[in-house]
Amino acid sequence: MSQALLLAIWLWPLALATVAHRPGLHWAPAAGALPALIGLLLLPGEVPTLEIPAMLLGAAVGLDALGRGFLAFSGPLWLITGLFIGDRARRGDQGGRLRTLFLLAMSGNLMLILAADGPSFYVGFALMGLAAYGLVVDGGGEARRRAARLYLAWTIVGEVLIFSGLVLVAQRSGGDLGLAALAAGTAESSLAFAAFLAGFGIKAGLFGLHMWLPVTYGQAPSAAAAILASAMIKAGLLGWLRFLPLGGEPLPVWGDTLAALGLAAVAGASLVGLTQRLPGAILGYSSLAKMGILVLGLGLILREPALAPAGTLALTLFAAHHALVKGGLFLGIGLGHHLPPASARRPWIWLGLALLALAIADAPFSSGALAKQALAPLVVASGWPWLKPALALATLGTALLMARLAWVVWQAQEDPSRADAPTRPCTACAWAWVALIVTVIAFPFVLGGRTAPAGTPWPLVLGAALAAAVALVARRRPEWTGRLVGLIPPGDLLHLARVLEPLGGRLVSGWSRLWERADRYGRERLAALAARRTGWPADPDRLADAWPLIGALWLGCLGLLGVLLALA
């Protein structure tokens, strides 16, 4: 029974995807997540690994403590977002395609959570990433299509890196592709470690590989952005926890590198996010800052492997908090856009958004305060006395980002042209969103005991005071703050690449000319040598007519390949 339910968790949405294109199946996206919720209630704490020899190279799925933690927040988010996707598909011209792609992405995400071997994880990761392209591009103009292409390009690069890491580790482990063997093999290969770090880092928004994220979040529909920012971005973190050698030998170089990248993301994303115009881009940079904290925690675990058990639990708790809150923010903004400006429901939307914003800003007695408290042992064990004040400043940056988000959303509600009003209100979506908010409110009391942690209130208070001061200045001197808004477009480093594009073009052009000259010189020398030895034509442009020479070169390449394979 448990094994059948384990298979149904990821096979049921895959089966629904085959029929979701039919008219009238608006319930299919939400129904795809039902086995995941049932599994959370009925499956025991850990389900033994189920071998599937006929699939891939011999797939294996199971449910351990880490997988259950990720399934606990991913399953409900897929269900709630599925209601929004079903409503959007009902109103769209390509509703069947949208439902199908959503279910494929859901199946891939749930598959990687349950995967007990590398190939199964990779297939689920690739299916999720590629199917999400259709969710991003749905119903948009040129800006959204450009963002979707950027997302797809980075996704493919990440999957190639992960596949390369799998091949490198499999070569060292003798073909054993279980998760334990992969983690052990990664510890022995710096190249595989780097491949997994970068491949999963693209999905997780690792600093330097994050350029696609704010662009995509800023342009994607609210429901698609919600699932990207909640369940999907955490797949990168799960990949790190599964594939990297946590709890083994200390890796201080990698640990310090990740800690530096995490702190850079926290500081840089908070500053750049304050200059954004789109709510999705602001939330994207907020996600980068929060993922920077997770990257920092991962680096601290690599420095001190003894922290792996407690650190993994803390990172999972932080990921659950961020996924629930960030998904709720995107869905709440989408609900607000679908309401007329004078709707009586709008104040309730604002109240819900305010509660979620307080949670993401680590307000006292919130899920953010609990998640931050869970990371405290890692901070203390780091031995860096400045780290705790730095994280407090990160909380201040998040509070300012939420204030900026409130200002942008408030201005957007006055523009009826930006609202995509449905033919009738989605009551099920509204109630599902309310249930998500209740879950976020209850989160610290259920997991933290009877009393939720109070946290540190001063960053939130200072952030509110600074936001009020900036708002006052903006009213009296709008030209001062107007210079900062839009100063750095979404994608930041992509804009820097465009600035350097003329220089890059000259470098590429110069290299091309140099290569053409070297190629011409080499072909002329080869043609002259062939003319002296064999009497073949001396014209380098007619050298391709010398079929015996080409055949000899081809056979030589085949022979060299055979020697390399024999030595391997």
Side-chain angles (χ1 to χ4, degrees):
M1 175 64 183
S2 61
Q3 293 182 340
L5 185 54
L6 195 68
L7 290 175
I9 289 176
W10 60 275
L11 284 179
W12 171 245
L14 192 62
L16 279 180
T18 62
V19 297
H21 64 281
R22 297 180 179 178
L25 297 182
H26 310 303
W27 48 268
L34 290 179
L37 301 182
I38 296 173
L40 286 172
L41 297 175
L42 299 184
L43 289 177
E46 292 196 15
V47 180
T49 301
L50 173 63
E51 302 288 343
I52 312 175
M55 179 180 173
L56 300 176
L57 302 177
V61 294
L63 186 64
D64 57 3
L66 180 60
R68 177 174 286 273
F70 275 77
L71 188 64
F73 66 82
S74 297
L77 281 167
W78 282 107
L79 173 65
I80 295 172
T81 311
L83 293 173
F84 282 79
I85 289 290
D87 179 67
R88 180 177 178 85
R90 177 177 60 84
R91 296 180 285 109
D93 296 332
Q94 302 293 334
R97 183 180 63 184
L98 182 61
R99 292 192 296 267
T100 299
L101 292 170
F102 180 82
L103 287 165
L104 289 175
M106 180 195 303
S107 177
N109 181 255
L110 297 177
M111 181 181 181
L112 68 89
I113 291 175
L114 301 177
D117 65 309
S120 301
F121 193 103
Y122 174 77
V123 169
F125 192 87
L127 177 61
M128 176 194 71
L130 295 177
Y133 166 80
L135 305 180
V136 176
V137 77
D138 174 64
E142 180 57 33
R144 185 174 295 177
R145 288 193 292 270
R146 189 181 304 113
R149 289 195 297 268
L150 182 64
Y151 162 81
L152 183 61
W154 280 95
T155 296
I156 293 174
V157 170
E159 290 168 4
V160 169
L161 288 171
I162 296 169
F163 183 80
S164 302
L166 284 172
V167 172
L168 290 170
V169 176
Q171 184 182 13
R172 287 177 171 269
S173 62
D176 187 355
L177 297 175
L179 292 179
L182 284 172
T186 305
E188 301 173 0
S189 173
S190 298
L191 191 58
F193 193 107
F196 288 139
L197 181 64
F200 292 118
I202 290 175
K203 184 66 67 180
L206 183 66
F207 183 77
L209 305 174
H210 67 279
M211 287 84 79
W212 67 271
L213 193 147
V215 179
T216 304
Y217 286 13
Q219 294 295 334
S222 59
I227 202 63
L228 281 169
S230 55
M232 289 192 190
I233 194 174
K234 303 307 180 296
L237 173 64
L238 182 58
W240 284 334
L241 296 178
R242 294 291 198 194
F243 286 68
L244 297 187
L246 306 180
E249 294 295 324
L251 299 173
V253 175
W254 287 111
D256 291 342
T257 301
L258 282 177
L261 291 174
L263 291 172
V266 170
S270 299
L271 294 175
V272 177
L274 294 174
T275 68
Q276 301 304 305
R277 301 178 184 271
L278 299 175
I282 297 172
L283 289 175
Y285 278 104
S286 171
S287 292
L288 290 176
K290 291 299 182 181
M291 293 304 294
I293 295 178
L294 290 176
V295 172
L296 169 64
L298 188 67
L300 296 178
I301 294 174
L302 290 174
R303 294 179 76 248
E304 298 290 341
L307 298 173
T312 300
L313 179 60
L315 294 183
T316 304
L317 185 66
F318 195 100
H321 143 72
H322 179 258
L324 293 172
V325 176
K326 192 57 63 71
L329 284 170
F330 272 109
L331 294 177
I333 292 174
L335 279 176
H337 282 180
H338 294 167
L339 291 175
S343 173
R345 297 185 182 183
R346 190 171 290 278
W348 296 103
I349 299 292
W350 272 102
L351 177 60
L353 289 174
L355 293 173
L356 293 172
L358 288 173
I360 202 75
D362 304 337
F365 309 109
S366 69
S367 60
L370 177 64
K372 190 175 180 181
Q373 184 187 64
L375 292 174
L378 298 180
V379 176
V380 173
S382 68
W384 297 334
W386 48 266
L387 186 55
K388 186 175 181 180
L391 292 180
L393 290 177
T395 302
L396 172 62
T398 302
L400 292 174
L401 283 176
M402 292 302 103
R404 172 64 182 163
L405 176 68
W407 176 260
V408 171
V409 173
W410 180 269
Q411 288 183 320
Q413 76 170 354
E414 304 300 329
D415 183 8
S417 64
R418 296 187 62 180
D420 184 18
T423 56
R424 60 180 177 84
C426 179
T427 305
C429 300
W431 282 111
W433 185 65
V434 171
L436 180 59
I437 295 174
V438 172
T439 303
V440 170
I441 295 174
F443 188 95
F445 298 98
V446 173
L447 298 180
R450 294 184 178 180
T451 57
T456 306
W458 72 261
L460 186 61
V461 175
L462 180 58
L466 289 175
V470 172
L472 182 62
V473 172
R475 284 181 62 90
R476 296 187 176 184
R477 293 287 189 273
E479 66 277 5
W480 292 0
T481 56
R483 294 174 183 173
L484 297 177
V485 175
L487 180 64
I488 303 177
D492 48 271
L493 294 181
L494 288 176
H495 179 67
L496 178 62
R498 294 192 188 98
V499 173
L500 298 178
E501 186 175 353
L503 176 60
R506 287 194 292 270
L507 290 175
V508 171
S509 177
W511 172 258
S512 298
R513 289 195 298 270
L514 179 62
W515 176 257
E516 288 174 0
R517 291 176 182 175
D519 177 62
R520 180 72 182 181
Y521 176 77
R523 288 192 294 119
E524 289 176 351
R525 294 294 301 271
L526 181 61
L529 178 62
R532 289 198 302 269
R533 297 292 178 89
T534 65
W536 291 333
D539 185 359
D541 294 326
R542 295 181 57 198
L543 190 61
D545 294 332
W547 292 108
L549 176 61
I550 295 175
L553 292 175
W554 178 248
L555 291 175
C557 291
L558 288 179
L560 179 61
L561 179 60
V563 172
L564 293 176
L565 290 175
L567 293 176

